[in-house]
Amino acid sequence: MTQEVNSVIIVPEDPQTDTISVPVLKIFDGDGFLTRVKVSEVTGNPRDQAEIEITARFGFIDAPEMDQPGGQEARDFLTALIGDKWVELAILMKMNTGRSVDTYGRVVCVPYLTLDYATGEFRTSSSCPHVITNFGAPFRVTRNIELEMVVNGWAWVLERYGPDQRYLDALEDAKRAKRGIWAFKDNIHPWEFKKQKYRNKAPKPPCPTENCSGHLIRKSGRFGEFLGCSEYPRCRYSCSVAG
């Protein structure tokens, strides 16, 4: 599947489950946004009629971090898809909390967007274009926004949560066509990027050598990993990782 410049591949899909209609108030990144819901729609208690603002977190995909290559582009792409619109949320149950919110208090969901179209075009296996028209009466299409983020190349798939096979197919299609982040050379998963960032921020112990201003960092040698001074070769202090 090829994609023209500035075009968007849409993925029609029926949610096949109950959804709630919510406004998109603010896009945070490529897989989350601020919305407003009735508390009862999250808790299931009909007496909770108060409205709250809450973050909606996509359930089966992971977009690049904002300070990672592709992060801002993923947010901009999602903004172009659903910014300032109303979407339908299929709320998921988080296994680690047993609730519809995760450990950060975010609603975990799959977002769907329904739009009316005056005309449409698709191609058959022989690449022959077919044009759809209702002669003035628009036809309505419901789209899976998670799948669209993946197939357009702006998100990974969280395989550990058991997504539908279509997610994995969309991911492979985006990789083959080098869409979005797959056009970059050094792609790493967002969770690996976060690990590296936190590892780099972790305090580094000072080198114990007298009058040395270096600090201890992990290094690899013939016998595995060890801690060595950052001022090497001026300072040759080293010790085992275990201390």
Side-chain angles (χ1 to χ4, degrees), residues 157-173:
V157 176
L158 294 170
E159 295 185 42
R160 64 183 180 274
Y161 294 139
D164 186 86
Q165 180 62 38
R166 297 180 71 198
Y167 282 78
L168 303 179
D169 294 342
L171 180 65
E172 289 306 312
D173 189 78

Side-chain angles (χ1 to χ4, degrees), residues 27-29 74-85 149:
I27 305 288
F28 294 126
D29 48 31
R75 180 189 60 187
D76 293 345
F77 188 83
L78 182 61
T79 300
L81 291 182
I82 64 172
D84 297 323
K85 295 182 175 69
M149 290 298 294

Side-chain angles (χ1 to χ4, degrees), residues 7-177:
S7 66
V8 175
I9 299 172
I10 71 170
V11 184
E13 182 178 271
D14 184 343
Q16 297 183 341
T17 188
D18 292 335
T19 60
I20 62 172
S21 182
V22 301
V24 178
L25 303 179
K26 180 181 180 181
I27 305 288
F28 294 126
D29 48 31
D31 53 32
F33 62 89
L34 181 68
T35 187
R36 185 185 304 110
V37 300
K38 285 185 177 180
V39 176
S40 60
E41 294 175 320
V42 178
T43 64
N45 186 344
R47 291 182 295 181
D48 294 333
Q49 290 300 305
E51 287 193 343
I52 58 171
E53 290 189 353
I54 194 169
T55 297
R57 172 65 168 88
F58 296 1
F60 296 115
I61 70 171
D62 203 6
E65 294 293 297
M66 287 302 297
D67 51 350
Q68 179 179 1
Q72 295 187 23
E73 293 90 339
R75 180 189 60 187
D76 293 345
F77 188 83
L78 182 61
T79 300
L81 291 182
I82 64 172
D84 297 323
K85 295 182 175 69
W86 283 72
V87 296
E88 301 291 321
L89 300 185
I91 297 180
L92 306 175
M93 183 70 70
K94 284 292 290 181
M95 298 302 293
N96 61 339
T97 64
R99 299 185 300 162
S100 56
V101 295
D102 64 10
T103 53
Y104 301 99
R106 305 173 298 187
V107 172
V108 183
C109 58
V110 177
Y112 292 86
L113 175 68
T114 299
L115 293 177
D116 290 335
Y117 294 84
T119 59
E121 180 178 319
F122 64 93
R123 289 178 171 82
T124 65
S125 57
S126 62
S127 297
C128 177
H130 287 203
V131 177
I132 303 172
T133 181
N134 280 4
F135 296 101
F139 62 94
R140 183 161 294 183
V141 177
T142 298
R143 299 156 43 184
N144 182 324
I145 297 302
E146 280 197 328
L147 277 172
E148 292 187 10
M149 290 298 294
V150 174
V151 77
N152 285 284
W154 296 113
W156 280 261
V157 176
L158 294 170
E159 295 185 42
R160 64 183 180 274
Y161 294 139
D164 186 86
Q165 180 62 38
R166 297 180 71 198
Y167 282 78
L168 303 179
D169 294 342
L171 180 65
E172 289 306 312
D173 189 78
K175 287 181 177 180
R176 282 194 301 269

